Amino acid sequence: MRRDAAGGSCCQFPRVVQFDLKATMVLNPVISKLAGKLVVLASASPRRLEILRSAGLRFEVVPSWFKETLDKGLFKAPHEYAVETAKQKALEVARRMPFKHLKTPDIVIGADTIVTVDGMILEKPVDKHDAYRMLSSLSGKEHSVFTGVAIVLCHEKENEEVDYQLVDFYEETKVKFADLSEDMLWEYINSGEPMDKAGGYGIQALGGMLVDTSTLPSCSDNLPISVPTQPPSSSQALPSHNSSVRRPSSPCDIQRLHTQITPTASPALKVKREDSESESSQTLVNSTSKHTDNRKVKLHDNATLPSITRRGQVTEPTRGDLERICELMDGFKASKALFTASKLCLFDLLHSRPGLDAAQVAQEIKASAKGTECLLEACVSLGLLKSIEKACQKPVYENADLATDFLRSDAPCSLHGYLQHCNETMWPLFSHLESAVQEGTSQREKAFSKQMLQETSSSSREGKLRFMKAMHNIAKITGKTIATAFDLSTYKSACDLGGCTGALAYEFAEAHPGLSVTVFDLPAVVELNEFFHPQHPDNRVSFVAGDFLKDELPKADLYILARILHDLPDEKVHILLSKIADACTAGCGLLLSEIFLDEDRRGPSRGLLQALSMSEGKQRSATEYSLLLKSHGFITAHIRHTDNLLDAMLCIKA
């Protein structure tokens, strides 16, 4: 059997006709249920479009933005990689459309095709030599072509959230190449066809000459139209923003899909398909949908505004565009103004003595009158302070709500310590960002003198305390959200690995009265935790000194990893997860808290900007973390995308 680069099986012309007729017959009961439904293909593949159109399906095309960067080493079998990529493609489109296209699809179809030989997955070649390497490895051999398919069913709820139900399967096709001569290889490579195709060939075109035709099945063989060779994996939670994702555990075939599509459809979801081969994003947005009311009008208003360039013609920039660019250009100035005001304890001063004028503030913080006035006015413009005008008097200043809640050092949700860390450590590092990007390494040695390295290093007492204050601030801000993200009533003991000051541990103890928590961190950290203890410490929180990469871990029902994995290189990540897995019995939990990147790695910018520090670790999406933990025997049970600084994931030891 032959296959095309898009994942559709194809043979000679009569075989294609047979496929189209058979597909139409099998899919006809389903297609009748899709009348008035918004069906979306998350791919621009011409062959996939041809297959669906031949089956009589009416659909729209919205190519997925998902970057195919999944770690292949985390998958036990090649088809799992193809299925997971197809799933992420479909989910990305399903989540993007309500916001970017202003309508929610009913069904999104995603697919991915890979070529495997000798246990290796072959992707698209990067150059001609890479194409030669791939094709020569296939010469004279039988190899497998896996196509993973994911179908996402979207169900809108009254609160504008969306439930996603996923059906996935895969199909394997065996292909054998003839013994290829050097001349034939290079003739095909120089045609340019291999460069955008998985495995370096497209069998529906010139690549057909590479196949050993004696191995092709006869036209009487059944074509794999709908029934998968493998039922979907067991039910598991999928990452989503403010939505729940459910996955059926029964086999996914056409009959299953037929029964899941309801015969009734809201008239608002009836979409008129354009006659053109592929609609533009503007055409898609203008289609009738539930979300076209006020937001559609707003989009049309914006569409009339001139843009910077269009088809090479320069027009006047919009005010909004300029403001956005200026915000980005001046962002470093705003950050440094915030850091400076915090370092000078400006917000503490105005909390204890509100209503001071610039001269009085300058005297208190021992700074120049001019400099202080400029700093105060800048903080007012940033919304951190309020300026109060009085008749015939100089303006006086007081804290805005942001400063009261987050910037004074004694606020319950204070970020004062973290701001110090940013000013003393992160600011110098990011001053050398050009070198960091060019070299791909941390710039600590360039950013700090030897004396400063000693002072800022976590090996010095001052450096440790400053770092611990920063981590304490983040834990206080995020602690309650993380501690209450999931029902942990089945766990009696927890171990917070790298728990620093214990701020997070105390939040867990408060949220779960039946839970005792052990904080496990380095001896030097445990020695200094007395600076951060609450006045009335909870006796269910204890501290144990040790190195979680070297020493035996305390026994617990639940292990907590908050802001740990993103900072470790891969080898240390696997060492730590292996140690946790060894310490766990079946049913034990692992609660992970990190910034979860969007699946298309387009946000949140906070996580992507943090990665520019070029630490040894890496930022990951929820799916990447889930697959990473799965490779160590942990099954993802729940994922929580929060409105706080960190997200959370609960996994269970299988």
Side-chain angles (χ1 to χ4, degrees):
M1 179 185 308
R2 298 186 180 185
R3 64 99 195 173
D4 79 335
S9 299
C10 64
C11 292
Q12 304 300 326
F13 177 73
R15 189 71 177 270
V16 175
V17 173
Q18 181 192 31
F19 171 83
D20 293 339
L21 291 174
K22 193 168 184 179
T24 302
M25 292 172 62
V26 174
L27 289 174
N28 189 56
V30 175
I31 292 173
S32 64
K33 293 285 187 179
L34 296 177
K37 299 285 186 179
L38 176 51
V39 181
V40 174
L41 175 63
S43 170
S45 162
R47 180 55 181 154
R48 290 186 183 129
L49 269 67
E50 178 188 351
I51 291 172
L52 293 185
R53 284 176 178 154
S54 298
L57 186 65
R58 295 177 66 84
F59 61 96
E60 292 188 1
V61 177
V62 181
S64 179
W65 293 349
F66 175 71
K67 294 183 179 179
E68 300 175 31
T69 56
L70 297 177
D71 185 352
K72 299 177 184 61
L74 299 179
F75 297 90
K76 293 182 180 179
H79 73 265
E80 294 181 358
Y81 173 81
V83 169
E84 185 65 32
T85 302
K87 180 178 71 176
Q88 295 305 327
K89 287 179 178 179
L91 284 171
E92 188 280 323
V93 170
R95 291 172 181 146
R96 169 162 48 98
M97 285 191 66
F99 302 100
K100 296 293 186 180
H101 298 265
L102 306 185
K103 58 186 175 183
T104 299
D106 291 293
I107 297 175
V108 179
I109 303 170
D112 184 64
T113 297
I114 59 170
V115 175
T116 67
V117 62
D118 299 331
M120 296 179 58
I121 296 177
L122 303 183
E123 300 193 79
K124 297 176 183 178
V126 296
D127 53 33
K128 289 186 177 181
H129 292 288
D130 196 29
Y132 176 83
R133 176 187 63 82
M134 290 184 182
L135 292 171
S136 59
S137 72
L138 300 176
S139 177
K141 292 182 181 179
E142 182 180 80
H143 58 273
S144 292
V145 180
F146 289 99
T147 295
V149 179
I151 301 172
V152 177
L153 308 178
C154 308
H155 308 283
E156 276 194 309
K157 299 191 293 187
E158 292 182 358
N159 58 2
E160 294 190 0
E161 293 185 354
V162 181
D163 281 345
Y164 301 109
Q165 189 172 2
L166 179 70
V167 178
D168 61 43
F169 58 92
Y170 73 93
E171 187 67 38
E172 179 182 10
T173 301
K174 296 288 188 179
V175 179
K176 184 178 180 181
F177 270 17
D179 292 321
L180 306 177
S181 66
E182 291 286 309
D183 290 342
M184 178 175 284
L185 278 175
W186 283 109
E187 179 183 354
Y188 180 59
I189 292 169
N190 288 330
S191 73
E193 186 176 277
M195 303 315 298
D196 62 344
K197 294 176 174 59
Y201 74 98
I203 201 170
Q204 78 279 15
L206 294 176
M209 69 181 184
L210 310 178
V211 178
D212 182 351
T213 57
S214 65
T215 64
L216 292 176
S218 67
C219 289
S220 62
D221 292 338
N222 291 328
L223 282 172
I225 296 178
S226 60
V227 181
T229 60
Q230 180 87 349
S233 56
S234 59
S235 177
Q236 69 180 55
L238 296 174
S240 64
H241 296 276
N242 299 321
S243 62
S244 60
V245 181
R246 298 186 299 274
R247 188 173 187 176
S249 57
S250 58
C252 55
D253 55 15
I254 289 297
Q255 184 60 37
R256 173 76 172 173
L257 185 60
H258 172 85
T259 58
Q260 287 175 339
I261 300 173
T262 58
T264 58
S266 168
L269 272 180
K270 293 181 180 178
V271 179
K272 180 179 179 181
R273 188 165 70 86
E274 300 295 322
D275 293 332
S276 59
E277 282 291 311
S278 61
E279 294 95 345
S280 66
S281 59
Q282 185 65 40
T283 301
L284 289 172
V285 169
N286 287 342
S287 299
T288 305
S289 76
K290 292 181 179 179
H291 301 277
T292 55
D293 300 335
N294 294 333
R295 284 185 288 181
K296 181 178 178 182
V297 173
K298 182 178 180 181
L299 179 72
H300 281 205
D301 290 342
N302 288 341
T304 63
L305 296 175
S307 58
I308 298 296
T309 60
R310 178 169 295 179
R311 299 185 183 275
Q313 296 179 354
V314 180
T315 59
E316 290 297 321
T318 66
R319 178 177 178 179
D321 290 340
L322 282 178
E323 287 179 348
R324 176 59 179 151
I325 290 296
C326 287
E327 285 177 2
L328 293 173
M329 289 192 300
D330 292 340
F332 75 99
K333 302 174 187 176
S335 297
K336 193 60 176 178
L338 171 61
F339 298 159
T340 301
S342 179
K343 185 173 183 178
L344 295 174
C345 297
L346 179 61
F347 306 112
D348 283 351
L349 172 63
L350 292 178
H351 177 69
S352 61
R353 297 175 59 189
L356 299 179
D357 62 28
Q360 293 169 320
V361 172
Q363 185 176 1
E364 292 293 331
I365 66 174
K366 297 180 173 57
S368 69
K370 178 182 178 180
T372 301
E373 185 175 24
C374 289
L375 180 60
L376 289 167
E377 291 175 345
C379 288
V380 169
S381 74
L382 295 172
L384 307 178
L385 298 178
K386 292 187 288 187
S387 173
I388 301 173
E389 301 285 342
K390 292 188 177 181
C392 303
Q393 293 183 10
K394 296 179 181 178
V396 297
Y397 298 89
E398 62 182 46
N399 285 338
D401 290 343
L402 280 177
T404 300
D405 294 339
F406 298 107
L407 302 181
R408 57 188 179 90
S409 60
D410 60 346
C413 294
S414 175
L415 285 169
H416 181 77
Y418 190 74
L419 292 175
Q420 283 185 294
H421 171 69
C422 290
N423 190 42
E424 301 295 333
T425 303
M426 302 307 295
W427 182 269
L429 283 177
F430 273 74
S431 297
H432 294 270
L433 183 57
E434 297 94 332
S435 298
V437 170
Q438 290 171 342
E439 300 171 14
T441 58
S442 174
Q443 301 295 301
R444 290 187 64 84
E445 293 186 0
K446 289 184 179 179
F448 304 104
S449 64
K450 289 186 178 180
Q451 181 179 354
M452 291 177 66
L453 275 173
Q454 292 176 349
E455 293 174 354
T456 59
S457 171
S458 58
S459 62
S460 70
R461 181 181 175 86
E462 293 76 13
K464 284 191 186 72
L465 278 173
R466 182 164 50 248
F467 181 76
M468 289 175 69
K469 287 178 182 177
M471 297 304 101
H472 185 77
N473 284 170
I474 298 298
K476 291 287 287 183
I477 292 283
T478 61
K480 185 175 182 179
T481 300
I482 298 170
T484 58
F486 311 111
D487 179 8
L488 304 177
S489 58
T490 58
Y491 301 107
K492 303 303 179 186
S493 61
C495 179
D496 185 5
L497 298 173
C500 198
T501 68
L504 184 61
Y506 284 110
E507 293 289 349
F508 270 84
E510 182 178 349
H512 306 282
L515 187 68
S516 61
V517 188
T518 300
V519 178
F520 190 68
D521 213 323
L522 297 171
V525 173
V526 173
E527 288 174 6
L528 296 174
N529 68 57
E530 62 186 23
F531 289 93
F532 304 92
H533 278 176
Q535 292 181 346
H536 304 288
D538 192 321
N539 57 14
R540 289 179 296 125
V541 176
S542 59
F543 292 80
V544 174
D547 186 335
F548 56 52
L549 292 174
K550 299 177 182 178
D551 300 327
E552 182 179 355
L553 304 181
K555 292 294 182 182
D557 301 329
L558 174 71
Y559 288 90
I560 302 168
L561 285 175
R563 300 189 81 244
I564 299 295
L565 295 188
H566 79 277
D567 214 26
L568 297 177
D570 287 349
E571 59 270 21
K572 291 185 179 179
V573 166
H574 290 294
I575 289 173
L576 176 56
L577 293 179
S578 295
K579 287 174 66 68
I580 297 174
D582 292 340
C584 285
T585 57
C588 285
L590 173 57
L591 196 155
L592 175 73
S593 184
E594 295 279 1
I595 300 172
F596 292 164
L597 296 184
D598 297 341
E599 299 301 331
D600 58 6
R601 300 187 74 85
R602 293 171 180 259
S605 59
R606 183 166 41 84
L608 297 169
L609 290 172
Q610 181 172 293
L612 288 174
S613 65
M614 299 297 166
S615 71
E616 294 181 306
K618 66 176 69 170
Q619 302 291 327
R620 298 175 174 88
S621 68
T623 297
E624 289 172 315
Y625 277 119
S626 182
L627 292 170
L628 176 63
L629 294 172
K630 183 180 179 182
S631 69
H632 287 273
F634 291 94
I635 304 301
T636 302
H638 303 285
I639 295 173
R640 176 78 182 275
H641 291 269
T642 74
D643 294 326
N644 208 315
L645 298 179
L646 298 176
D647 302 310
M649 174 187 296
L650 180 62
C651 302
I652 310 298
K653 182 65 163 38

